[in-house]
């Protein structure tokens, strides 16, 4: 069971699909930015933001599991997208993994490009796992 809390800061507008603050006790886990590469290193969903987002979140889930964590432990997601217009597709994938009633803190940034031009997004995660 998660020991995370979601304080609501006074004077700050409510987040749309994210929390401003997430805190909790435990061990810190940092997951490197994940892109839409499958286990063989092949790009999944060229030109398809939904397919890429699904692969990215599957990769994040696998990384979290390797660290003894899950999405219930995630306190922060950072999204890097080549076009801000892909965010609705990213949110659909994200919402299959996170608690939408208590979502992690998040940042979304549009970038000029990622390390392969076919990639549309990269997502990194930070989690706190109970000791």
């Amino acid at each position: 069971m998660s020991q995370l809390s979601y304080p609501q800061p006074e004077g700050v507008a409510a987040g749309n699909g994210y929390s401003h603050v997430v805190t909790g006790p435990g061990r810190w886990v940092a997951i490197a930015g994940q892109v839409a590469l499958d286990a063989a290193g092949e790009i999944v969903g060229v030109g398809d933001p939904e397919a890429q987002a699904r692969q990215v979140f599957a990769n994040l889930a696998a990384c979290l599991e390797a660290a003894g964590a899950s999405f219930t432990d995630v306190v922060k997601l950072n999204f890097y997208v080549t076009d801000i217009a892909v965010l609705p597709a990213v949110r659909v994938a994200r919402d299959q993994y996170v608690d939408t009633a208590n979502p992690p803190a998040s940042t979304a940034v549009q970038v000029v490009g990622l390390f392969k031009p076919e990639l549309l997004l990269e997502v990194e995660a930070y989690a706190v796992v109970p000791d």
Side-chain angles (χ1 to χ4, degrees):
M1 172 138 114
S2 176
Q3 296 180 10
L4 300 180
S5 63
Y6 302 83
Q8 300 298 316
E10 285 189 40
V12 177
N16 182 11
Y18 65 93
S19 298
H20 286 290
V21 181
V22 183
T23 185
R27 179 174 48 89
W28 182 253
V29 177
I31 305 297
Q34 296 298 304
V35 295
L37 295 179
D38 63 15
E42 299 296 321
I43 296 175
V44 172
V46 173
D48 183 345
E50 290 180 31
Q52 288 200 17
R54 284 192 303 271
Q55 183 65 48
V56 165
F57 276 88
N59 291 351
L60 287 167
C63 291
L64 287 163
E65 183 178 339
S70 71
F71 273 95
T72 61
D73 303 308
V74 172
V75 296
K76 179 80 161 76
L77 293 170
N78 291 330
F79 298 89
Y80 305 96
V81 296
T82 58
D83 184 345
I84 211 78
V86 305
L87 281 180
V90 173
R91 287 185 186 120
V92 168
R94 178 205 62 189
D95 289 354
Q96 294 176 15
Y97 288 88
V98 305
D99 176 359
T100 57
N102 291 302
S106 298
T107 298
V109 179
Q110 183 170 315
V111 297
V112 172
L114 297 169
F115 75 97
K116 290 189 176 196
E118 302 89 353
L119 295 170
L120 304 174
L121 67 139
E122 183 168 342
V123 182
E124 59 187 17
Y126 298 95
V128 176
V129 181
D131 290 325

